[in-house]
Short mmCIF file of all heavy atoms in Angstrom, two decimals:
data_model
loop_
_atom_site.label_atom_id
_atom_site.label_comp_id
_atom_site.label_asym_id
_atom_site.label_seq_id
_atom_site.Cartn_x
_atom_site.Cartn_y
_atom_site.Cartn_z
N MET A 1 21.53 -1.02 1.68
CA MET A 1 20.80 -0.08 0.86
C MET A 1 19.41 0.13 1.50
O MET A 1 18.71 -0.84 1.78
CB MET A 1 20.67 -0.56 -0.60
CG MET A 1 19.87 0.41 -1.46
SD MET A 1 19.52 -0.25 -3.14
CE MET A 1 21.10 -0.21 -3.90
N SER A 2 19.02 1.37 1.65
CA SER A 2 17.67 1.61 2.24
C SER A 2 16.63 1.50 1.09
O SER A 2 16.97 1.54 -0.09
CB SER A 2 17.60 3.00 2.83
OG SER A 2 17.65 4.00 1.81
N LEU A 3 15.36 1.38 1.47
CA LEU A 3 14.27 1.34 0.49
C LEU A 3 14.25 2.56 -0.42
O LEU A 3 14.03 2.49 -1.61
CB LEU A 3 12.95 1.18 1.15
CG LEU A 3 12.59 -0.21 1.70
CD1 LEU A 3 11.26 -0.13 2.44
CD2 LEU A 3 12.46 -1.17 0.57
N SER A 4 14.56 3.71 0.18
CA SER A 4 14.52 4.95 -0.60
C SER A 4 15.58 5.03 -1.70
O SER A 4 15.45 5.81 -2.66
CB SER A 4 14.66 6.14 0.33
OG SER A 4 15.90 6.16 0.94
N GLN A 5 16.60 4.19 -1.57
CA GLN A 5 17.68 4.17 -2.60
C GLN A 5 17.39 3.15 -3.65
O GLN A 5 18.12 3.07 -4.67
CB GLN A 5 19.04 3.93 -1.98
CG GLN A 5 19.47 5.00 -1.00
CD GLN A 5 20.70 4.60 -0.22
OE1 GLN A 5 20.81 3.52 0.32
NE2 GLN A 5 21.66 5.47 -0.23
N SER A 6 16.35 2.36 -3.51
CA SER A 6 16.06 1.27 -4.50
C SER A 6 15.20 1.77 -5.62
O SER A 6 14.25 2.53 -5.44
CB SER A 6 15.33 0.17 -3.81
OG SER A 6 14.86 -0.80 -4.76
N GLN A 7 15.59 1.49 -6.84
CA GLN A 7 14.79 1.86 -8.08
C GLN A 7 13.51 1.09 -8.12
O GLN A 7 12.60 1.46 -8.78
CB GLN A 7 15.62 1.54 -9.29
CG GLN A 7 16.93 2.27 -9.43
CD GLN A 7 16.75 3.67 -9.85
OE1 GLN A 7 15.86 4.02 -10.54
NE2 GLN A 7 17.65 4.53 -9.41
N ASP A 8 13.41 0.00 -7.33
CA ASP A 8 12.23 -0.89 -7.38
C ASP A 8 11.14 -0.43 -6.49
O ASP A 8 10.05 -0.99 -6.54
CB ASP A 8 12.64 -2.29 -7.02
CG ASP A 8 13.54 -2.95 -8.08
OD1 ASP A 8 13.47 -2.50 -9.27
OD2 ASP A 8 14.35 -3.79 -7.68
N VAL A 9 11.37 0.58 -5.65
CA VAL A 9 10.39 0.99 -4.69
C VAL A 9 9.72 2.33 -5.11
O VAL A 9 10.42 3.36 -5.11
CB VAL A 9 10.98 1.09 -3.26
CG1 VAL A 9 9.94 1.61 -2.29
CG2 VAL A 9 11.48 -0.25 -2.87
N SER A 10 8.52 2.31 -5.55
CA SER A 10 7.78 3.56 -5.84
C SER A 10 6.29 3.17 -5.89
O SER A 10 5.92 2.04 -6.12
CB SER A 10 8.20 4.10 -7.19
OG SER A 10 7.79 3.24 -8.24
N CYS A 11 5.47 4.22 -5.67
CA CYS A 11 4.04 3.92 -5.65
C CYS A 11 3.55 3.36 -6.99
O CYS A 11 2.62 2.52 -6.96
CB CYS A 11 3.31 5.29 -5.36
SG CYS A 11 3.50 5.85 -3.69
N THR A 12 4.14 3.75 -8.09
CA THR A 12 3.63 3.19 -9.37
C THR A 12 3.83 1.66 -9.47
O THR A 12 3.17 1.03 -10.25
CB THR A 12 4.32 3.85 -10.60
OG1 THR A 12 5.72 3.78 -10.42
CG2 THR A 12 3.89 5.33 -10.71
N LYS A 13 4.77 1.13 -8.66
CA LYS A 13 5.06 -0.28 -8.73
C LYS A 13 4.33 -1.06 -7.58
O LYS A 13 4.52 -2.24 -7.38
CB LYS A 13 6.56 -0.55 -8.68
CG LYS A 13 7.25 0.02 -9.87
CD LYS A 13 8.71 -0.21 -9.83
CE LYS A 13 9.36 0.40 -11.06
NZ LYS A 13 10.85 0.25 -10.96
N CYS A 14 3.56 -0.31 -6.77
CA CYS A 14 2.93 -0.87 -5.58
C CYS A 14 1.53 -1.42 -5.94
O CYS A 14 0.80 -0.79 -6.74
CB CYS A 14 2.82 0.21 -4.52
SG CYS A 14 2.02 -0.33 -2.99
N ARG A 15 1.12 -2.52 -5.33
CA ARG A 15 -0.19 -3.05 -5.63
C ARG A 15 -1.34 -2.17 -5.10
O ARG A 15 -2.46 -2.35 -5.50
CB ARG A 15 -0.29 -4.44 -5.03
CG ARG A 15 -0.31 -4.55 -3.51
CD ARG A 15 -0.45 -5.99 -3.04
NE ARG A 15 0.73 -6.74 -3.33
CZ ARG A 15 0.68 -7.98 -3.95
NH1 ARG A 15 -0.49 -8.54 -4.19
NH2 ARG A 15 1.80 -8.57 -4.18
N PHE A 16 -1.05 -1.20 -4.26
CA PHE A 16 -2.07 -0.32 -3.70
C PHE A 16 -2.26 0.99 -4.45
O PHE A 16 -3.08 1.80 -4.13
CB PHE A 16 -1.80 -0.07 -2.22
CG PHE A 16 -1.74 -1.27 -1.38
CD1 PHE A 16 -0.53 -1.69 -0.86
CD2 PHE A 16 -2.88 -2.04 -1.16
CE1 PHE A 16 -0.47 -2.84 -0.09
CE2 PHE A 16 -2.83 -3.21 -0.41
CZ PHE A 16 -1.61 -3.63 0.11
N PHE A 17 -1.38 1.21 -5.53
CA PHE A 17 -1.50 2.40 -6.29
C PHE A 17 -2.53 2.27 -7.32
O PHE A 17 -2.62 1.29 -8.06
CB PHE A 17 -0.13 2.65 -6.98
CG PHE A 17 -0.03 3.89 -7.76
CD1 PHE A 17 0.10 5.13 -7.13
CD2 PHE A 17 -0.09 3.91 -9.16
CE1 PHE A 17 0.25 6.33 -7.88
CE2 PHE A 17 0.01 5.09 -9.90
CZ PHE A 17 0.16 6.31 -9.23
N ASP A 18 -3.44 3.31 -7.38
CA ASP A 18 -4.52 3.29 -8.38
C ASP A 18 -4.29 4.49 -9.35
O ASP A 18 -4.38 5.62 -8.93
CB ASP A 18 -5.82 3.46 -7.63
CG ASP A 18 -7.03 3.51 -8.54
OD1 ASP A 18 -6.85 3.34 -9.78
OD2 ASP A 18 -8.17 3.60 -8.05
N ASP A 19 -4.05 4.16 -10.57
CA ASP A 19 -3.83 5.20 -11.60
C ASP A 19 -5.20 5.73 -12.03
O ASP A 19 -5.69 5.51 -13.12
CB ASP A 19 -3.12 4.54 -12.81
CG ASP A 19 -2.69 5.56 -13.83
OD1 ASP A 19 -2.70 6.80 -13.47
OD2 ASP A 19 -2.43 5.18 -15.01
N HIS A 20 -5.76 6.49 -11.14
CA HIS A 20 -7.13 6.99 -11.29
C HIS A 20 -7.19 8.14 -12.24
O HIS A 20 -6.27 8.91 -12.34
CB HIS A 20 -7.64 7.39 -9.91
CG HIS A 20 -9.13 7.59 -9.79
ND1 HIS A 20 -9.69 8.80 -9.95
CD2 HIS A 20 -10.07 6.69 -9.51
CE1 HIS A 20 -11.01 8.66 -9.82
NE2 HIS A 20 -11.28 7.38 -9.53
N VAL A 21 -8.31 8.30 -12.94
CA VAL A 21 -8.43 9.38 -13.93
C VAL A 21 -8.55 10.73 -13.26
O VAL A 21 -8.10 11.70 -13.81
CB VAL A 21 -9.64 9.15 -14.87
CG1 VAL A 21 -9.40 8.00 -15.74
CG2 VAL A 21 -10.96 9.00 -14.08
N ALA A 22 -9.17 10.83 -12.06
CA ALA A 22 -9.33 12.09 -11.37
C ALA A 22 -8.09 12.34 -10.47
O ALA A 22 -8.06 11.96 -9.34
CB ALA A 22 -10.60 12.11 -10.56
N LYS A 23 -7.07 12.95 -11.07
CA LYS A 23 -5.84 13.19 -10.33
C LYS A 23 -5.23 14.51 -10.79
O LYS A 23 -5.40 14.98 -11.93
CB LYS A 23 -4.82 12.08 -10.59
CG LYS A 23 -4.60 11.76 -12.03
CD LYS A 23 -3.83 10.50 -12.25
CE LYS A 23 -3.62 10.26 -13.70
NZ LYS A 23 -2.84 9.03 -13.93
N PRO A 24 -4.47 15.14 -9.91
CA PRO A 24 -3.91 16.46 -10.20
C PRO A 24 -2.93 16.48 -11.40
O PRO A 24 -2.87 17.47 -12.13
CB PRO A 24 -3.22 16.93 -8.92
CG PRO A 24 -3.82 16.09 -7.86
CD PRO A 24 -4.23 14.80 -8.50
N SER A 25 -2.07 15.44 -11.55
CA SER A 25 -1.17 15.46 -12.60
C SER A 25 -0.99 14.03 -13.13
O SER A 25 -1.36 13.05 -12.47
CB SER A 25 0.22 16.03 -12.26
OG SER A 25 0.96 15.08 -11.54
N ALA A 26 -0.33 13.88 -14.27
CA ALA A 26 -0.23 12.57 -14.93
C ALA A 26 0.57 11.54 -14.12
O ALA A 26 0.33 10.36 -14.18
CB ALA A 26 0.46 12.69 -16.28
N GLU A 27 1.49 12.04 -13.25
CA GLU A 27 2.30 11.07 -12.46
C GLU A 27 1.57 10.70 -11.15
O GLU A 27 2.09 9.88 -10.39
CB GLU A 27 3.66 11.73 -12.13
CG GLU A 27 4.65 11.78 -13.30
CD GLU A 27 4.37 12.99 -14.15
OE1 GLU A 27 4.16 14.10 -13.55
OE2 GLU A 27 4.38 12.89 -15.36
N ASP A 28 0.50 11.38 -10.83
CA ASP A 28 -0.16 11.12 -9.54
C ASP A 28 -1.13 9.99 -9.62
O ASP A 28 -1.55 9.54 -10.68
CB ASP A 28 -0.94 12.39 -9.05
CG ASP A 28 -0.01 13.51 -8.70
OD1 ASP A 28 1.16 13.27 -8.47
OD2 ASP A 28 -0.49 14.67 -8.72
N GLY A 29 -1.50 9.48 -8.46
CA GLY A 29 -2.46 8.40 -8.36
C GLY A 29 -3.05 8.40 -6.96
O GLY A 29 -2.74 9.27 -6.11
N LEU A 30 -3.87 7.40 -6.70
CA LEU A 30 -4.48 7.25 -5.38
C LEU A 30 -3.87 6.08 -4.66
O LEU A 30 -3.63 5.05 -5.23
CB LEU A 30 -5.96 7.06 -5.53
CG LEU A 30 -6.75 8.10 -6.32
CD1 LEU A 30 -8.18 7.73 -6.37
CD2 LEU A 30 -6.55 9.49 -5.72
N CYS A 31 -3.67 6.24 -3.35
CA CYS A 31 -3.21 5.11 -2.54
C CYS A 31 -4.39 4.42 -1.91
O CYS A 31 -5.18 5.09 -1.23
CB CYS A 31 -2.26 5.61 -1.44
SG CYS A 31 -1.79 4.21 -0.37
N ARG A 32 -4.53 3.13 -2.19
CA ARG A 32 -5.71 2.41 -1.71
C ARG A 32 -5.35 1.53 -0.53
O ARG A 32 -6.14 0.59 -0.20
CB ARG A 32 -6.20 1.47 -2.82
CG ARG A 32 -6.69 2.24 -4.07
CD ARG A 32 -8.01 2.81 -3.90
NE ARG A 32 -8.51 3.36 -5.18
CZ ARG A 32 -9.71 3.86 -5.29
NH1 ARG A 32 -10.56 3.94 -4.35
NH2 ARG A 32 -10.06 4.39 -6.47
N PHE A 33 -4.26 1.77 0.18
CA PHE A 33 -3.86 0.92 1.31
C PHE A 33 -4.86 0.98 2.41
O PHE A 33 -5.27 0.01 3.00
CB PHE A 33 -2.47 1.30 1.79
CG PHE A 33 -2.00 0.38 2.91
CD1 PHE A 33 -1.50 -0.85 2.66
CD2 PHE A 33 -2.19 0.69 4.24
CE1 PHE A 33 -1.12 -1.71 3.63
CE2 PHE A 33 -1.77 -0.06 5.30
CZ PHE A 33 -1.27 -1.31 5.00
N ASN A 34 -5.26 2.23 2.76
CA ASN A 34 -6.30 2.46 3.81
C ASN A 34 -7.64 2.89 3.20
O ASN A 34 -7.67 3.32 2.06
CB ASN A 34 -5.79 3.58 4.74
CG ASN A 34 -4.62 3.06 5.61
OD1 ASN A 34 -4.73 2.07 6.28
ND2 ASN A 34 -3.51 3.83 5.58
N PRO A 35 -8.72 2.79 3.95
CA PRO A 35 -9.95 3.31 3.50
C PRO A 35 -9.89 4.79 3.33
O PRO A 35 -9.05 5.46 3.84
CB PRO A 35 -10.97 2.91 4.60
CG PRO A 35 -10.17 2.36 5.70
CD PRO A 35 -8.79 2.24 5.30
N PRO A 36 -10.88 5.34 2.54
CA PRO A 36 -10.93 6.81 2.36
C PRO A 36 -11.08 7.56 3.68
O PRO A 36 -11.62 7.01 4.63
CB PRO A 36 -12.13 7.05 1.43
CG PRO A 36 -12.84 5.82 1.41
CD PRO A 36 -12.01 4.71 1.90
N VAL A 37 -10.57 8.75 3.71
CA VAL A 37 -10.63 9.56 4.98
C VAL A 37 -11.22 10.92 4.71
O VAL A 37 -11.39 11.36 3.62
CB VAL A 37 -9.15 9.74 5.50
CG1 VAL A 37 -8.54 8.47 5.88
CG2 VAL A 37 -8.28 10.47 4.46
N THR A 38 -11.57 11.56 5.85
CA THR A 38 -11.93 12.99 5.89
C THR A 38 -13.05 13.39 4.85
O THR A 38 -12.76 13.96 3.82
CB THR A 38 -10.71 13.89 5.66
OG1 THR A 38 -9.67 13.41 6.44
CG2 THR A 38 -11.05 15.30 6.09
N GLN A 39 -14.23 13.05 5.18
CA GLN A 39 -15.38 13.57 4.38
C GLN A 39 -15.60 15.04 4.67
O GLN A 39 -15.79 15.39 5.84
CB GLN A 39 -16.62 12.76 4.67
CG GLN A 39 -16.58 11.36 4.21
CD GLN A 39 -17.81 10.62 4.57
OE1 GLN A 39 -17.73 9.64 5.29
NE2 GLN A 39 -18.92 11.02 4.07
N PRO A 40 -15.53 15.91 3.67
CA PRO A 40 -15.69 17.35 3.90
C PRO A 40 -17.08 17.65 4.50
O PRO A 40 -17.24 18.59 5.24
CB PRO A 40 -15.53 17.97 2.56
CG PRO A 40 -14.84 16.96 1.70
CD PRO A 40 -15.19 15.62 2.28
N SER A 41 -18.10 16.89 4.13
CA SER A 41 -19.45 17.10 4.65
C SER A 41 -20.14 15.73 4.68
O SER A 41 -19.66 14.77 4.05
CB SER A 41 -20.22 18.08 3.76
OG SER A 41 -20.47 17.48 2.52
N PRO A 42 -21.24 15.60 5.39
CA PRO A 42 -21.91 14.29 5.49
C PRO A 42 -22.32 13.72 4.14
O PRO A 42 -22.32 12.49 4.00
CB PRO A 42 -23.12 14.59 6.38
CG PRO A 42 -22.74 15.78 7.13
CD PRO A 42 -21.89 16.60 6.29
N ASP A 43 -22.65 14.57 3.18
CA ASP A 43 -23.05 13.99 1.89
C ASP A 43 -21.90 13.81 0.90
O ASP A 43 -22.08 13.29 -0.20
CB ASP A 43 -24.02 14.86 1.08
CG ASP A 43 -24.83 15.73 1.95
OD1 ASP A 43 -24.94 15.48 3.10
OD2 ASP A 43 -25.40 16.76 1.38
N ALA A 44 -20.69 14.27 1.25
CA ALA A 44 -19.51 14.20 0.34
C ALA A 44 -18.95 12.81 0.44
O ALA A 44 -19.11 12.07 1.42
CB ALA A 44 -18.51 15.22 0.69
N HIS A 45 -18.20 12.42 -0.58
CA HIS A 45 -17.49 11.16 -0.59
C HIS A 45 -16.20 11.35 0.27
O HIS A 45 -15.66 12.39 0.38
CB HIS A 45 -17.11 10.78 -2.02
CG HIS A 45 -18.22 10.44 -2.89
ND1 HIS A 45 -18.92 9.25 -2.80
CD2 HIS A 45 -18.83 11.18 -3.89
CE1 HIS A 45 -19.91 9.26 -3.70
NE2 HIS A 45 -19.88 10.39 -4.36
N GLY A 46 -15.78 10.22 0.81
CA GLY A 46 -14.48 10.24 1.48
C GLY A 46 -13.37 10.38 0.46
O GLY A 46 -13.57 10.20 -0.75
N LEU A 47 -12.19 10.85 0.91
CA LEU A 47 -11.10 11.08 0.06
C LEU A 47 -9.98 10.05 0.16
O LEU A 47 -9.57 9.70 1.25
CB LEU A 47 -10.49 12.52 0.36
CG LEU A 47 -11.46 13.62 0.27
CD1 LEU A 47 -10.83 14.96 0.80
CD2 LEU A 47 -11.94 13.81 -1.11
N TRP A 48 -9.53 9.57 -0.99
CA TRP A 48 -8.36 8.68 -1.03
C TRP A 48 -7.11 9.55 -1.12
O TRP A 48 -7.05 10.52 -1.83
CB TRP A 48 -8.43 7.78 -2.26
CG TRP A 48 -9.59 6.88 -2.28
CD1 TRP A 48 -10.75 7.11 -2.93
CD2 TRP A 48 -9.70 5.59 -1.67
NE1 TRP A 48 -11.57 6.05 -2.73
CE2 TRP A 48 -10.99 5.12 -1.97
CE3 TRP A 48 -8.82 4.85 -0.90
CZ2 TRP A 48 -11.39 3.86 -1.52
CZ3 TRP A 48 -9.26 3.56 -0.46
CH2 TRP A 48 -10.54 3.12 -0.75
N PRO A 49 -6.06 9.22 -0.38
CA PRO A 49 -4.82 10.01 -0.42
C PRO A 49 -4.23 10.01 -1.86
O PRO A 49 -4.13 9.00 -2.49
CB PRO A 49 -3.90 9.26 0.53
CG PRO A 49 -4.76 8.48 1.42
CD PRO A 49 -5.94 8.13 0.60
N VAL A 50 -3.85 11.20 -2.29
CA VAL A 50 -3.21 11.38 -3.60
C VAL A 50 -1.69 11.25 -3.38
O VAL A 50 -1.18 11.91 -2.49
CB VAL A 50 -3.54 12.74 -4.24
CG1 VAL A 50 -2.74 12.92 -5.54
CG2 VAL A 50 -5.00 12.86 -4.53
N VAL A 51 -1.05 10.43 -4.13
CA VAL A 51 0.41 10.24 -4.04
C VAL A 51 1.06 10.41 -5.38
O VAL A 51 0.44 10.19 -6.45
CB VAL A 51 0.75 8.86 -3.50
CG1 VAL A 51 0.32 8.69 -2.03
CG2 VAL A 51 0.16 7.71 -4.31
N SER A 52 2.30 10.91 -5.36
CA SER A 52 3.09 11.00 -6.61
C SER A 52 3.58 9.60 -6.97
O SER A 52 3.77 8.74 -6.09
CB SER A 52 4.28 11.89 -6.36
OG SER A 52 5.23 11.74 -7.34
N GLY A 53 3.74 9.38 -8.24
CA GLY A 53 4.21 8.07 -8.70
C GLY A 53 5.55 7.68 -8.10
O GLY A 53 5.83 6.46 -7.95
N MET A 54 6.39 8.68 -7.77
CA MET A 54 7.71 8.34 -7.27
C MET A 54 7.76 8.28 -5.76
O MET A 54 8.85 8.11 -5.13
CB MET A 54 8.76 9.33 -7.79
CG MET A 54 8.90 9.30 -9.30
SD MET A 54 9.11 7.61 -9.99
CE MET A 54 10.63 7.10 -9.28
N ASP A 55 6.61 8.56 -5.07
CA ASP A 55 6.54 8.41 -3.65
C ASP A 55 6.66 6.96 -3.23
O ASP A 55 6.58 6.04 -4.07
CB ASP A 55 5.20 8.96 -3.11
CG ASP A 55 5.17 10.44 -2.96
OD1 ASP A 55 6.22 11.09 -2.97
OD2 ASP A 55 4.03 10.95 -2.90
N TRP A 56 6.75 6.68 -1.96
CA TRP A 56 6.70 5.34 -1.44
C TRP A 56 6.48 5.43 0.03
O TRP A 56 6.60 6.53 0.67
CB TRP A 56 7.96 4.50 -1.73
CG TRP A 56 9.20 5.06 -1.07
CD1 TRP A 56 9.99 6.12 -1.53
CD2 TRP A 56 9.74 4.68 0.19
NE1 TRP A 56 10.98 6.32 -0.67
CE2 TRP A 56 10.88 5.49 0.41
CE3 TRP A 56 9.46 3.69 1.16
CZ2 TRP A 56 11.69 5.30 1.56
CZ3 TRP A 56 10.22 3.56 2.24
CH2 TRP A 56 11.34 4.37 2.45
N CYS A 57 6.04 4.38 0.66
CA CYS A 57 5.91 4.35 2.13
C CYS A 57 6.23 2.94 2.62
O CYS A 57 6.51 2.05 1.84
CB CYS A 57 4.53 4.78 2.59
SG CYS A 57 3.29 3.47 2.54
N GLY A 58 6.21 2.77 3.95
CA GLY A 58 6.55 1.47 4.57
C GLY A 58 5.58 0.38 4.28
O GLY A 58 5.86 -0.75 4.59
N HIS A 59 4.40 0.69 3.68
CA HIS A 59 3.42 -0.35 3.31
C HIS A 59 3.66 -0.84 1.91
O HIS A 59 2.86 -1.65 1.39
CB HIS A 59 2.00 0.17 3.45
CG HIS A 59 1.68 0.58 4.86
ND1 HIS A 59 1.69 -0.29 5.91
CD2 HIS A 59 1.30 1.77 5.40
CE1 HIS A 59 1.32 0.33 7.02
NE2 HIS A 59 1.10 1.60 6.69
N PHE A 60 4.77 -0.35 1.22
CA PHE A 60 4.96 -0.76 -0.18
C PHE A 60 4.91 -2.26 -0.33
O PHE A 60 5.51 -3.01 0.49
CB PHE A 60 6.32 -0.23 -0.62
CG PHE A 60 6.69 -0.75 -2.03
CD1 PHE A 60 6.18 -0.19 -3.15
CD2 PHE A 60 7.56 -1.84 -2.10
CE1 PHE A 60 6.49 -0.66 -4.39
CE2 PHE A 60 7.89 -2.31 -3.41
CZ PHE A 60 7.34 -1.70 -4.53
N SER A 61 4.20 -2.70 -1.37
CA SER A 61 4.13 -4.11 -1.67
C SER A 61 4.18 -4.22 -3.25
O SER A 61 3.30 -3.72 -3.94
CB SER A 61 2.86 -4.71 -1.15
OG SER A 61 2.73 -6.09 -1.54
N MET A 62 5.21 -4.87 -3.73
CA MET A 62 5.40 -4.95 -5.18
C MET A 62 4.17 -5.59 -5.84
O MET A 62 3.68 -6.67 -5.43
CB MET A 62 6.66 -5.74 -5.50
CG MET A 62 6.96 -5.92 -6.95
SD MET A 62 7.55 -4.35 -7.69
CE MET A 62 9.26 -4.27 -7.12
N ASP A 63 3.74 -4.96 -6.89
CA ASP A 63 2.63 -5.51 -7.73
C ASP A 63 3.26 -6.33 -8.84
O ASP A 63 3.86 -5.77 -9.73
CB ASP A 63 1.78 -4.40 -8.27
CG ASP A 63 0.51 -4.94 -9.03
OD1 ASP A 63 0.57 -6.10 -9.44
OD2 ASP A 63 -0.41 -4.17 -9.14
N PRO A 64 3.14 -7.65 -8.84
CA PRO A 64 3.75 -8.46 -9.86
C PRO A 64 3.26 -8.21 -11.26
O PRO A 64 3.89 -8.59 -12.25
CB PRO A 64 3.47 -9.89 -9.39
CG PRO A 64 2.37 -9.83 -8.45
CD PRO A 64 2.39 -8.44 -7.85
N SER A 65 2.07 -7.57 -11.42
CA SER A 65 1.50 -7.34 -12.73
C SER A 65 2.11 -6.06 -13.35
O SER A 65 1.81 -5.79 -14.51
CB SER A 65 -0.01 -7.24 -12.68
OG SER A 65 -0.40 -6.08 -11.96
N LYS A 66 2.83 -5.25 -12.58
CA LYS A 66 3.38 -4.04 -13.12
C LYS A 66 4.83 -4.28 -13.50
O LYS A 66 5.57 -4.94 -12.80
CB LYS A 66 3.27 -2.90 -12.06
CG LYS A 66 1.78 -2.58 -11.81
CD LYS A 66 1.62 -1.54 -10.76
CE LYS A 66 0.11 -1.17 -10.55
NZ LYS A 66 -0.11 -0.39 -9.36
N PRO A 67 5.27 -3.56 -14.59
CA PRO A 67 6.66 -3.76 -15.04
C PRO A 67 7.67 -3.17 -14.04
O PRO A 67 7.37 -2.20 -13.38
CB PRO A 67 6.74 -3.03 -16.37
CG PRO A 67 5.56 -2.05 -16.35
CD PRO A 67 4.53 -2.71 -15.42
N ASN A 68 8.86 -3.81 -13.98
CA ASN A 68 9.95 -3.31 -13.10
C ASN A 68 10.67 -2.13 -13.73
O ASN A 68 10.77 -1.98 -14.80
CB ASN A 68 10.92 -4.40 -12.82
CG ASN A 68 10.37 -5.40 -11.82
OD1 ASN A 68 9.49 -5.08 -10.98
ND2 ASN A 68 10.77 -6.65 -11.89
S1 LIG B 1 1.80 5.28 -0.33
FE1 LIG B 1 2.68 3.26 0.24
S2 LIG B 1 0.95 1.80 0.15
FE2 LIG B 1 0.34 3.65 -0.94
S3 LIG B 1 0.77 3.24 -3.07
FE3 LIG B 1 2.57 4.31 -2.21
S4 LIG B 1 3.99 2.70 -1.50
FE4 LIG B 1 1.94 1.76 -1.87
#
């Protein structure tokens, strides 16, 4: 079985997923695996990648504090 077929693999269950208040929709969050990227201007903040709760990537790491 590949990771994509597993019910246990999703961003919402990953230790790097941040259920941040500033997000496009309720299922979205921020991925904190890498530092923020692409500052639009020198005074702007860097951007954290927005991911859907059902996304996943090869850096997935189960967060033991989140329900299965
Ligand atoms: S994109 Fe990868 S590292 Fe980031 S929250 Fe999702 S599974 Fe985790």
